[in-house]
Short mmCIF file of all heavy atoms in Angstrom, two decimals:
data_model
loop_
_atom_site.label_atom_id
_atom_site.label_comp_id
_atom_site.label_asym_id
_atom_site.label_seq_id
_atom_site.Cartn_x
_atom_site.Cartn_y
_atom_site.Cartn_z
N MET A 1 78.16 60.07 32.58
CA MET A 1 77.56 61.08 31.81
C MET A 1 78.59 61.75 30.93
O MET A 1 78.45 61.96 29.76
CB MET A 1 76.83 62.10 32.62
CG MET A 1 76.26 63.29 31.94
SD MET A 1 75.49 64.38 33.08
CE MET A 1 75.74 65.88 32.14
N ASP A 2 79.75 62.19 31.55
CA ASP A 2 80.71 62.86 30.71
C ASP A 2 81.30 61.90 29.56
O ASP A 2 81.42 62.36 28.52
CB ASP A 2 81.89 63.19 31.59
CG ASP A 2 81.54 64.22 32.65
OD1 ASP A 2 80.56 64.95 32.50
OD2 ASP A 2 82.27 64.44 33.65
N ALA A 3 81.53 60.63 29.87
CA ALA A 3 81.97 59.76 28.85
C ALA A 3 80.85 59.67 27.72
O ALA A 3 81.27 59.67 26.58
CB ALA A 3 82.23 58.33 29.36
N PHE A 4 79.68 59.69 27.99
CA PHE A 4 78.52 59.56 27.04
C PHE A 4 78.64 60.83 26.15
O PHE A 4 78.58 60.75 24.92
CB PHE A 4 77.24 59.49 27.71
CG PHE A 4 76.10 59.51 26.72
CD1 PHE A 4 75.67 58.44 26.04
CD2 PHE A 4 75.46 60.70 26.47
CE1 PHE A 4 74.64 58.51 25.16
CE2 PHE A 4 74.32 60.78 25.61
CZ PHE A 4 74.03 59.65 24.91
N LEU A 5 78.72 61.96 26.81
CA LEU A 5 78.76 63.16 26.02
C LEU A 5 79.85 63.35 25.15
O LEU A 5 79.72 63.85 23.99
CB LEU A 5 78.66 64.43 26.99
CG LEU A 5 77.34 64.76 27.77
CD1 LEU A 5 77.54 65.85 28.71
CD2 LEU A 5 76.18 64.89 26.79
N MET A 6 81.02 62.85 25.56
CA MET A 6 82.22 63.02 24.78
C MET A 6 82.35 61.88 23.67
O MET A 6 83.16 62.06 22.69
CB MET A 6 83.38 63.07 25.69
CG MET A 6 83.47 64.22 26.58
SD MET A 6 83.00 65.84 25.81
CE MET A 6 84.47 66.09 24.77
N SER A 7 81.69 60.72 23.82
CA SER A 7 81.90 59.66 22.91
C SER A 7 80.79 59.51 21.86
O SER A 7 80.95 59.09 20.78
CB SER A 7 82.00 58.39 23.62
OG SER A 7 80.81 57.93 24.38
N ASN A 8 79.55 59.97 22.21
CA ASN A 8 78.41 59.86 21.25
C ASN A 8 78.22 61.14 20.61
O ASN A 8 77.93 62.19 21.13
CB ASN A 8 77.16 59.43 22.08
CG ASN A 8 77.19 58.00 22.50
OD1 ASN A 8 77.64 57.16 21.80
ND2 ASN A 8 76.80 57.85 23.82
N ARG A 9 78.40 61.09 19.34
CA ARG A 9 78.21 62.34 18.49
C ARG A 9 76.91 62.32 17.61
O ARG A 9 76.90 61.53 16.75
CB ARG A 9 79.48 62.50 17.57
CG ARG A 9 80.78 62.57 18.26
CD ARG A 9 81.01 63.89 18.85
NE ARG A 9 82.31 63.98 19.30
CZ ARG A 9 82.63 64.58 20.55
NH1 ARG A 9 81.65 65.05 21.26
NH2 ARG A 9 83.89 64.69 20.85
N LYS A 10 76.05 63.19 18.02
CA LYS A 10 74.89 63.49 17.27
C LYS A 10 74.18 62.32 16.51
O LYS A 10 74.11 62.28 15.36
CB LYS A 10 75.19 64.53 16.20
CG LYS A 10 75.68 65.83 16.92
CD LYS A 10 76.11 66.87 15.94
CE LYS A 10 76.69 68.07 16.74
NZ LYS A 10 77.18 69.09 15.86
N ALA A 11 73.82 61.28 17.33
CA ALA A 11 73.15 60.14 16.82
C ALA A 11 71.74 60.41 16.55
O ALA A 11 71.08 59.61 15.82
CB ALA A 11 73.29 58.93 17.73
N SER A 12 71.19 61.46 17.15
CA SER A 12 69.76 61.86 16.87
C SER A 12 69.63 63.36 17.07
O SER A 12 70.50 64.08 17.54
CB SER A 12 68.87 61.10 17.87
OG SER A 12 68.85 61.80 19.15
N VAL A 13 68.46 63.86 16.69
CA VAL A 13 68.26 65.25 16.83
C VAL A 13 68.26 65.76 18.30
O VAL A 13 68.47 66.93 18.58
CB VAL A 13 66.90 65.69 16.22
CG1 VAL A 13 67.01 65.46 14.64
CG2 VAL A 13 65.72 64.96 16.71
N HIS A 14 68.07 64.82 19.18
CA HIS A 14 67.97 65.10 20.65
C HIS A 14 69.36 65.36 21.17
O HIS A 14 69.49 65.82 22.33
CB HIS A 14 67.19 64.05 21.44
CG HIS A 14 65.83 63.92 20.97
ND1 HIS A 14 64.87 64.83 21.33
CD2 HIS A 14 65.15 63.03 20.23
CE1 HIS A 14 63.71 64.48 20.75
NE2 HIS A 14 63.86 63.36 20.13
N GLU A 15 70.43 64.86 20.60
CA GLU A 15 71.67 64.96 21.10
C GLU A 15 72.51 66.14 20.51
O GLU A 15 73.56 66.42 20.90
CB GLU A 15 72.50 63.68 20.84
CG GLU A 15 71.99 62.51 21.47
CD GLU A 15 72.68 61.15 21.20
OE1 GLU A 15 73.78 61.25 20.53
OE2 GLU A 15 72.15 60.11 21.57
N VAL A 16 71.89 66.82 19.51
CA VAL A 16 72.60 67.93 18.92
C VAL A 16 72.90 68.99 19.91
O VAL A 16 72.00 69.45 20.68
CB VAL A 16 71.82 68.51 17.73
CG1 VAL A 16 72.39 69.81 17.24
CG2 VAL A 16 71.57 67.42 16.66
N GLY A 17 74.15 69.34 20.06
CA GLY A 17 74.51 70.49 20.88
C GLY A 17 74.85 70.05 22.36
O GLY A 17 75.30 71.02 23.07
N LEU A 18 74.72 68.81 22.74
CA LEU A 18 75.05 68.50 24.16
C LEU A 18 76.55 68.81 24.48
O LEU A 18 76.82 69.20 25.55
CB LEU A 18 74.70 66.94 24.45
CG LEU A 18 73.23 66.66 24.66
CD1 LEU A 18 73.07 65.19 24.82
CD2 LEU A 18 72.71 67.41 25.79
N THR A 19 77.47 68.41 23.58
CA THR A 19 78.82 68.75 23.88
C THR A 19 79.11 70.21 23.96
O THR A 19 79.87 70.69 24.75
CB THR A 19 79.79 68.00 22.79
OG1 THR A 19 79.34 68.44 21.53
CG2 THR A 19 79.70 66.51 22.97
N ASP A 20 78.42 70.97 23.06
CA ASP A 20 78.61 72.43 23.14
C ASP A 20 78.02 72.98 24.40
O ASP A 20 78.61 73.80 25.00
CB ASP A 20 77.88 73.08 21.92
CG ASP A 20 78.58 72.72 20.55
OD1 ASP A 20 79.81 72.50 20.63
OD2 ASP A 20 77.77 72.69 19.53
N LEU A 21 76.90 72.43 24.85
CA LEU A 21 76.29 72.87 26.19
C LEU A 21 77.23 72.55 27.28
O LEU A 21 77.47 73.39 28.18
CB LEU A 21 74.95 72.12 26.36
CG LEU A 21 74.24 72.45 27.63
CD1 LEU A 21 73.83 73.94 27.77
CD2 LEU A 21 72.95 71.53 27.72
N ARG A 22 77.82 71.39 27.26
CA ARG A 22 78.80 71.09 28.33
C ARG A 22 79.93 72.04 28.37
O ARG A 22 80.37 72.55 29.43
CB ARG A 22 79.33 69.63 28.10
CG ARG A 22 80.31 69.22 29.14
CD ARG A 22 80.80 67.77 28.76
NE ARG A 22 81.77 67.32 29.80
CZ ARG A 22 83.10 67.55 29.64
NH1 ARG A 22 83.64 68.18 28.58
NH2 ARG A 22 83.92 67.09 30.54
N ALA A 23 80.49 72.29 27.20
CA ALA A 23 81.67 73.17 27.14
C ALA A 23 81.28 74.63 27.61
O ALA A 23 82.06 75.24 28.34
CB ALA A 23 82.15 73.25 25.67
N ILE A 24 80.18 75.07 27.26
CA ILE A 24 79.77 76.40 27.56
C ILE A 24 79.54 76.50 29.14
O ILE A 24 79.96 77.42 29.83
CB ILE A 24 78.39 76.85 26.89
CG1 ILE A 24 78.74 77.07 25.39
CG2 ILE A 24 77.83 78.12 27.49
CD1 ILE A 24 77.50 77.19 24.51
N ALA A 25 78.88 75.42 29.70
CA ALA A 25 78.67 75.40 31.23
C ALA A 25 80.01 75.31 31.90
O ALA A 25 80.10 76.00 32.92
CB ALA A 25 77.83 74.13 31.54
N ILE A 26 80.93 74.60 31.40
CA ILE A 26 82.26 74.55 32.08
C ILE A 26 82.93 75.84 31.97
O ILE A 26 83.47 76.43 33.02
CB ILE A 26 83.15 73.50 31.43
CG1 ILE A 26 82.57 72.06 31.82
CG2 ILE A 26 84.61 73.59 31.93
CD1 ILE A 26 83.21 70.98 31.07
N LEU A 27 82.96 76.54 30.84
CA LEU A 27 83.67 77.80 30.64
C LEU A 27 82.97 78.89 31.51
O LEU A 27 83.62 79.79 32.04
CB LEU A 27 83.61 78.21 29.18
CG LEU A 27 84.52 77.43 28.30
CD1 LEU A 27 84.26 77.74 26.86
CD2 LEU A 27 86.00 77.70 28.64
N ALA A 28 81.66 78.78 31.67
CA ALA A 28 80.85 79.88 32.45
C ALA A 28 80.89 79.54 33.93
O ALA A 28 80.43 80.29 34.78
CB ALA A 28 79.47 79.89 32.00
N GLY A 29 81.61 78.42 34.34
CA GLY A 29 81.58 78.01 35.75
C GLY A 29 80.32 77.49 36.32
O GLY A 29 80.08 77.59 37.48
N HIS A 30 79.45 77.01 35.42
CA HIS A 30 78.12 76.45 35.93
C HIS A 30 78.05 74.94 35.69
O HIS A 30 76.96 74.40 35.74
CB HIS A 30 77.01 77.08 35.08
CG HIS A 30 76.91 78.51 35.35
ND1 HIS A 30 76.60 79.13 36.51
CD2 HIS A 30 77.16 79.61 34.44
CE1 HIS A 30 76.58 80.44 36.42
NE2 HIS A 30 76.95 80.76 35.25
N TRP A 31 79.17 74.24 35.61
CA TRP A 31 79.16 72.79 35.45
C TRP A 31 79.05 72.18 36.91
O TRP A 31 80.04 72.30 37.66
CB TRP A 31 80.39 72.29 34.73
CG TRP A 31 80.29 70.86 34.31
CD1 TRP A 31 81.14 69.83 34.75
CD2 TRP A 31 79.41 70.26 33.38
NE1 TRP A 31 80.76 68.72 34.05
CE2 TRP A 31 79.69 68.93 33.22
CE3 TRP A 31 78.36 70.78 32.63
CZ2 TRP A 31 79.07 68.05 32.39
CZ3 TRP A 31 77.65 69.95 31.85
CH2 TRP A 31 78.01 68.60 31.67
N PRO A 32 77.96 71.51 37.31
CA PRO A 32 77.76 71.13 38.71
C PRO A 32 78.71 69.96 39.01
O PRO A 32 79.05 69.09 38.14
CB PRO A 32 76.29 70.78 38.81
CG PRO A 32 75.92 70.45 37.40
CD PRO A 32 76.77 71.33 36.54
N GLU A 33 79.07 69.89 40.31
CA GLU A 33 79.89 68.69 40.74
C GLU A 33 79.10 67.48 40.68
O GLU A 33 79.62 66.38 40.21
CB GLU A 33 80.41 68.93 42.19
CG GLU A 33 81.20 67.83 42.72
CD GLU A 33 81.63 68.04 44.17
OE1 GLU A 33 81.74 69.22 44.53
OE2 GLU A 33 81.86 67.19 44.91
N LYS A 34 77.83 67.46 41.04
CA LYS A 34 76.95 66.37 40.95
C LYS A 34 76.04 66.52 39.68
O LYS A 34 75.42 67.49 39.59
CB LYS A 34 76.03 66.21 42.19
CG LYS A 34 76.77 65.96 43.43
CD LYS A 34 75.80 65.83 44.59
CE LYS A 34 76.57 65.52 45.85
NZ LYS A 34 75.62 65.47 47.06
N ARG A 35 76.08 65.53 38.85
CA ARG A 35 75.37 65.63 37.66
C ARG A 35 74.96 64.14 37.16
O ARG A 35 75.73 63.21 37.45
CB ARG A 35 76.00 66.37 36.58
CG ARG A 35 77.41 65.81 36.17
CD ARG A 35 78.14 66.80 35.40
NE ARG A 35 79.48 66.34 35.06
CZ ARG A 35 80.45 66.45 35.90
NH1 ARG A 35 80.36 67.11 36.97
NH2 ARG A 35 81.68 65.95 35.56
N ALA A 36 73.89 64.01 36.53
CA ALA A 36 73.47 62.74 36.00
C ALA A 36 72.61 63.00 34.69
O ALA A 36 72.11 64.13 34.52
CB ALA A 36 72.66 62.00 36.98
N MET A 37 72.58 61.97 33.91
CA MET A 37 71.68 62.11 32.65
C MET A 37 70.66 60.99 32.82
O MET A 37 71.02 59.81 32.80
CB MET A 37 72.54 61.94 31.43
CG MET A 37 71.72 62.04 30.20
SD MET A 37 72.64 61.73 28.68
CE MET A 37 73.60 63.25 28.61
N LEU A 38 69.45 61.34 32.83
CA LEU A 38 68.36 60.42 32.86
C LEU A 38 67.59 60.61 31.57
O LEU A 38 67.38 61.80 31.25
CB LEU A 38 67.47 60.61 34.10
CG LEU A 38 68.06 60.04 35.44
CD1 LEU A 38 68.91 61.17 36.12
CD2 LEU A 38 67.03 59.53 36.26
N ALA A 39 67.27 59.58 30.84
CA ALA A 39 66.61 59.84 29.54
C ALA A 39 65.66 58.71 29.32
O ALA A 39 65.58 57.73 30.02
CB ALA A 39 67.72 59.76 28.45
N ILE A 40 64.84 58.97 28.26
CA ILE A 40 63.86 57.99 27.78
C ILE A 40 64.34 57.50 26.42
O ILE A 40 64.52 58.36 25.51
CB ILE A 40 62.46 58.58 27.67
CG1 ILE A 40 61.95 59.03 29.15
CG2 ILE A 40 61.50 57.66 27.04
CD1 ILE A 40 60.72 59.87 29.12
N GLN A 41 64.51 56.30 26.28
CA GLN A 41 65.02 55.67 25.00
C GLN A 41 63.83 55.47 24.09
O GLN A 41 63.02 54.55 24.36
CB GLN A 41 65.78 54.36 25.20
CG GLN A 41 66.33 53.74 23.90
CD GLN A 41 67.32 54.64 23.23
OE1 GLN A 41 68.24 55.15 23.83
NE2 GLN A 41 67.21 54.72 21.95
N PRO A 42 63.68 56.17 22.96
CA PRO A 42 62.51 55.94 22.10
C PRO A 42 62.74 54.67 21.24
O PRO A 42 63.95 54.22 20.92
CB PRO A 42 62.49 57.14 21.22
CG PRO A 42 63.95 57.64 21.18
CD PRO A 42 64.46 57.30 22.59
N GLN A 43 61.65 53.97 20.81
CA GLN A 43 61.86 52.85 20.00
C GLN A 43 62.31 53.27 18.58
O GLN A 43 63.05 52.58 17.88
CB GLN A 43 60.51 52.15 19.90
CG GLN A 43 60.61 50.83 19.13
CD GLN A 43 59.28 50.01 19.16
OE1 GLN A 43 58.29 50.48 19.69
NE2 GLN A 43 59.36 48.72 18.70
N THR A 44 61.63 54.43 18.12
CA THR A 44 62.08 54.98 16.89
C THR A 44 62.27 56.53 17.04
O THR A 44 61.74 57.10 17.87
CB THR A 44 61.04 54.75 15.76
OG1 THR A 44 59.80 55.32 16.14
CG2 THR A 44 60.84 53.24 15.45
N ILE A 45 63.03 57.09 16.15
CA ILE A 45 63.29 58.52 16.12
C ILE A 45 62.73 59.05 14.84
O ILE A 45 63.10 58.68 13.81
CB ILE A 45 64.72 58.86 16.31
CG1 ILE A 45 65.27 58.33 17.74
CG2 ILE A 45 65.07 60.36 16.20
CD1 ILE A 45 66.77 58.39 17.76
N ASP A 46 61.69 60.00 15.07
CA ASP A 46 61.08 60.55 13.84
C ASP A 46 60.50 61.93 14.34
O ASP A 46 60.41 62.11 15.48
CB ASP A 46 59.99 59.61 13.40
CG ASP A 46 59.64 59.92 11.92
OD1 ASP A 46 60.19 60.81 11.37
OD2 ASP A 46 58.75 59.15 11.38
N TRP A 47 60.06 62.65 13.36
CA TRP A 47 59.44 63.97 13.62
C TRP A 47 58.02 63.80 13.92
O TRP A 47 57.31 62.86 13.50
CB TRP A 47 59.60 64.87 12.43
CG TRP A 47 61.07 65.28 12.13
CD1 TRP A 47 61.80 64.74 11.18
CD2 TRP A 47 61.78 66.24 12.84
NE1 TRP A 47 63.08 65.38 11.28
CE2 TRP A 47 63.04 66.28 12.24
CE3 TRP A 47 61.55 67.12 13.85
CZ2 TRP A 47 64.07 67.12 12.64
CZ3 TRP A 47 62.50 67.98 14.26
CH2 TRP A 47 63.79 67.94 13.68
N GLY A 48 57.50 64.56 14.88
CA GLY A 48 56.10 64.44 15.23
C GLY A 48 55.82 65.56 16.30
O GLY A 48 56.75 66.20 16.83
N GLU A 49 54.56 65.78 16.54
CA GLU A 49 54.16 66.79 17.50
C GLU A 49 53.80 66.19 18.91
O GLU A 49 53.72 66.96 19.87
CB GLU A 49 52.77 67.52 16.95
CG GLU A 49 53.11 68.27 15.63
CD GLU A 49 51.84 68.92 15.31
OE1 GLU A 49 50.94 69.21 16.09
OE2 GLU A 49 51.74 69.24 14.04
N HIS A 50 53.76 64.85 19.07
CA HIS A 50 53.39 64.27 20.28
C HIS A 50 54.26 63.05 20.44
O HIS A 50 54.62 62.39 19.55
CB HIS A 50 51.93 63.81 20.31
CG HIS A 50 50.94 65.02 19.98
ND1 HIS A 50 50.72 65.96 20.91
CD2 HIS A 50 50.33 65.33 18.86
CE1 HIS A 50 49.87 66.80 20.34
NE2 HIS A 50 49.65 66.49 19.12
N PRO A 51 54.55 62.83 21.80
CA PRO A 51 55.32 61.51 22.04
C PRO A 51 54.47 60.26 21.79
O PRO A 51 53.24 60.33 21.76
CB PRO A 51 55.59 61.59 23.45
CG PRO A 51 54.51 62.50 24.08
CD PRO A 51 54.22 63.37 22.97
N THR A 52 55.16 59.20 21.44
CA THR A 52 54.53 57.96 21.27
C THR A 52 53.93 57.50 22.55
O THR A 52 54.33 58.06 23.66
CB THR A 52 55.43 56.77 20.71
OG1 THR A 52 56.38 56.57 21.79
CG2 THR A 52 56.06 57.18 19.38
N ALA A 53 53.04 56.52 22.59
CA ALA A 53 52.41 56.00 23.79
C ALA A 53 53.45 55.52 24.73
O ALA A 53 53.37 55.76 25.98
CB ALA A 53 51.31 54.90 23.44
N ALA A 54 54.45 54.84 24.24
CA ALA A 54 55.53 54.33 25.17
C ALA A 54 56.26 55.39 25.79
O ALA A 54 56.67 55.39 26.95
CB ALA A 54 56.42 53.36 24.34
N VAL A 55 56.67 56.40 24.99
CA VAL A 55 57.49 57.61 25.55
C VAL A 55 56.57 58.36 26.51
O VAL A 55 56.97 58.69 27.61
CB VAL A 55 57.98 58.42 24.40
CG1 VAL A 55 58.52 59.80 24.95
CG2 VAL A 55 58.96 57.70 23.63
N ALA A 56 55.33 58.55 26.18
CA ALA A 56 54.39 59.31 27.06
C ALA A 56 54.33 58.60 28.44
O ALA A 56 54.28 59.16 29.44
CB ALA A 56 53.09 59.46 26.44
N ALA A 57 54.14 57.30 28.44
CA ALA A 57 54.10 56.45 29.52
C ALA A 57 55.33 56.52 30.46
O ALA A 57 55.30 56.40 31.66
CB ALA A 57 53.80 54.99 29.22
N ALA A 58 56.51 56.82 29.83
CA ALA A 58 57.82 56.82 30.53
C ALA A 58 58.08 58.15 31.18
O ALA A 58 58.97 58.25 31.97
CB ALA A 58 58.94 56.36 29.58
N ILE A 59 57.39 59.18 30.74
CA ILE A 59 57.68 60.55 31.17
C ILE A 59 57.52 60.72 32.70
O ILE A 59 58.43 61.27 33.35
CB ILE A 59 56.85 61.64 30.40
CG1 ILE A 59 57.32 61.61 28.97
CG2 ILE A 59 56.95 63.01 31.07
CD1 ILE A 59 56.38 62.52 28.09
N SER A 60 56.38 60.33 33.26
CA SER A 60 56.17 60.43 34.69
C SER A 60 57.21 59.68 35.49
O SER A 60 57.76 60.22 36.50
CB SER A 60 54.69 59.93 35.02
OG SER A 60 54.48 60.13 36.43
N PRO A 61 57.43 58.31 35.22
CA PRO A 61 58.51 57.70 35.97
C PRO A 61 59.92 58.34 35.85
O PRO A 61 60.58 58.38 36.80
CB PRO A 61 58.49 56.25 35.34
CG PRO A 61 57.17 56.14 34.73
CD PRO A 61 56.78 57.48 34.31
N ALA A 62 60.21 58.87 34.65
CA ALA A 62 61.42 59.61 34.55
C ALA A 62 61.55 60.86 35.41
O ALA A 62 62.50 61.09 36.08
CB ALA A 62 61.68 60.01 33.00
N CYS A 63 60.43 61.55 35.51
CA CYS A 63 60.34 62.74 36.35
C CYS A 63 60.47 62.43 37.79
O CYS A 63 61.17 63.05 38.56
CB CYS A 63 58.99 63.48 36.05
SG CYS A 63 59.00 64.36 34.47
N ILE A 64 59.86 61.28 38.29
CA ILE A 64 59.98 60.75 39.61
C ILE A 64 61.37 60.38 39.89
O ILE A 64 61.96 60.74 40.96
CB ILE A 64 58.95 59.68 39.82
CG1 ILE A 64 57.53 60.18 39.82
CG2 ILE A 64 59.31 58.95 41.16
CD1 ILE A 64 56.44 59.10 39.76
N ALA A 65 62.03 59.75 38.99
CA ALA A 65 63.45 59.27 39.20
C ALA A 65 64.39 60.52 39.28
O ALA A 65 65.24 60.60 40.13
CB ALA A 65 63.90 58.46 38.00
N ILE A 66 64.12 61.53 38.47
CA ILE A 66 64.93 62.77 38.62
C ILE A 66 64.73 63.51 39.91
O ILE A 66 65.57 63.89 40.61
CB ILE A 66 64.55 63.72 37.41
CG1 ILE A 66 65.02 63.07 36.13
CG2 ILE A 66 65.21 65.08 37.66
CD1 ILE A 66 64.47 63.80 34.85
N ARG A 67 63.36 63.56 40.43
CA ARG A 67 63.10 64.19 41.62
C ARG A 67 63.75 63.43 42.80
O ARG A 67 64.38 64.01 43.64
CB ARG A 67 61.54 64.23 41.92
CG ARG A 67 61.12 64.86 43.21
CD ARG A 67 59.76 64.59 43.56
NE ARG A 67 59.77 63.03 43.86
CZ ARG A 67 58.64 62.31 43.76
NH1 ARG A 67 57.53 62.89 43.42
NH2 ARG A 67 58.68 61.01 44.00
N ASP A 68 63.62 62.15 42.78
CA ASP A 68 64.33 61.27 43.78
C ASP A 68 65.81 61.42 43.85
O ASP A 68 66.35 61.50 44.91
CB ASP A 68 63.89 59.86 43.66
CG ASP A 68 62.39 59.55 43.93
OD1 ASP A 68 61.69 60.46 44.44
OD2 ASP A 68 61.89 58.49 43.54
N LEU A 69 66.42 61.45 42.67
CA LEU A 69 67.89 61.74 42.62
C LEU A 69 68.26 63.02 43.33
O LEU A 69 69.17 63.02 44.00
CB LEU A 69 68.36 61.60 41.23
CG LEU A 69 69.84 61.79 40.93
CD1 LEU A 69 70.64 60.70 41.70
CD2 LEU A 69 70.16 61.65 39.49
N ILE A 70 67.57 64.05 42.90
CA ILE A 70 67.86 65.41 43.49
C ILE A 70 67.65 65.44 44.94
O ILE A 70 68.44 65.93 45.72
CB ILE A 70 67.04 66.45 42.81
CG1 ILE A 70 67.46 66.62 41.28
CG2 ILE A 70 67.16 67.78 43.49
CD1 ILE A 70 66.57 67.51 40.46
N ARG A 71 66.66 64.76 45.43
CA ARG A 71 66.34 64.66 46.95
C ARG A 71 67.45 63.89 47.54
O ARG A 71 67.92 64.32 48.57
CB ARG A 71 65.08 63.99 47.19
CG ARG A 71 63.84 64.91 46.85
CD ARG A 71 62.52 64.21 47.15
NE ARG A 71 61.43 65.12 47.04
CZ ARG A 71 60.13 64.72 46.97
NH1 ARG A 71 59.82 63.46 47.09
NH2 ARG A 71 59.14 65.63 46.81
N ALA A 72 67.94 62.84 47.00
CA ALA A 72 68.99 62.04 47.53
C ALA A 72 70.27 62.88 47.66
O ALA A 72 71.00 62.77 48.63
CB ALA A 72 69.18 60.76 46.72
N TRP A 73 70.47 63.63 46.60
CA TRP A 73 71.79 64.53 46.66
C TRP A 73 71.67 65.56 47.82
O TRP A 73 72.62 65.79 48.40
CB TRP A 73 71.85 65.18 45.29
CG TRP A 73 72.40 64.34 44.18
CD1 TRP A 73 72.91 63.10 44.34
CD2 TRP A 73 72.43 64.61 42.76
NE1 TRP A 73 73.30 62.53 43.06
CE2 TRP A 73 73.03 63.51 42.14
CE3 TRP A 73 72.06 65.73 42.07
CZ2 TRP A 73 73.16 63.47 40.80
CZ3 TRP A 73 72.22 65.70 40.66
CH2 TRP A 73 72.83 64.57 40.05
N HIS A 74 70.46 66.08 47.95
CA HIS A 74 70.28 67.09 48.97
C HIS A 74 70.52 66.45 50.41
O HIS A 74 70.94 67.12 51.30
CB HIS A 74 68.93 67.78 48.93
CG HIS A 74 68.95 68.81 47.73
ND1 HIS A 74 67.85 69.06 47.11
CD2 HIS A 74 69.89 69.58 47.26
CE1 HIS A 74 68.06 69.97 46.16
NE2 HIS A 74 69.25 70.29 46.27
N HIS A 75 70.12 65.26 50.54
CA HIS A 75 70.32 64.58 51.89
C HIS A 75 71.71 64.14 52.11
O HIS A 75 72.08 64.00 53.32
CB HIS A 75 69.35 63.34 51.89
CG HIS A 75 67.95 63.75 52.12
ND1 HIS A 75 67.01 63.70 51.18
CD2 HIS A 75 67.24 64.36 53.21
CE1 HIS A 75 65.85 64.19 51.52
NE2 HIS A 75 65.96 64.52 52.78
N VAL A 76 72.57 63.94 51.17
CA VAL A 76 73.87 63.53 51.25
C VAL A 76 74.76 64.79 51.62
O VAL A 76 75.70 64.61 52.33
CB VAL A 76 74.41 62.74 50.04
CG1 VAL A 76 75.93 62.53 50.12
CG2 VAL A 76 73.62 61.49 49.84
N ALA A 77 74.42 65.91 51.07
CA ALA A 77 75.14 67.11 51.22
C ALA A 77 75.26 67.39 52.72
O ALA A 77 76.13 67.56 53.30
CB ALA A 77 74.58 68.29 50.51
#
């Protein structure tokens, strides 16, 4: 995750500010020891009010993966 944040610079509107967010979290002492980035890769990037069908279909599995990762972290601690 750290390598991604520091090497990819604003390739889309969704990445704007991630490096700034990281820097602020570190300076404020809120950068967690355990962290991960889970994302949904869109086929195209464009403006709109609703996700495409493919992105909408990926939201629930992404949420499940995030929940499972957090649960696994709690069991390891």
Side-chain angles (χ1 to χ4, degrees):
M1 178 179 148
D2 294 343
F4 174 83
L5 288 177
M6 298 312 292
S7 66
N8 289 316
R9 299 283 190 225
K10 299 177 185 175
S12 80
V13 295
H14 298 287
E15 294 175 14
V16 173
L18 283 177
T19 54
D20 294 330
L21 177 63
R22 178 184 181 271
I24 292 167
I26 290 170
L27 289 172
H30 296 294
W31 193 244
E33 182 180 331
K34 293 180 181 178
R35 57 193 177 274
M37 180 181 293
L38 287 89
I40 298 169
Q41 179 66 46
Q43 185 175 8
T44 59
I45 298 172
D46 200 359
W47 293 101
E49 295 182 25
H50 305 285
T52 63
V55 170
I59 292 172
S60 181
C63 290
I64 291 168
I66 292 165
R67 181 200 62 205
D68 292 347
L69 179 60
I70 293 169
R71 285 181 177 167
W73 285 348
H74 285 148
H75 286 104
V76 172

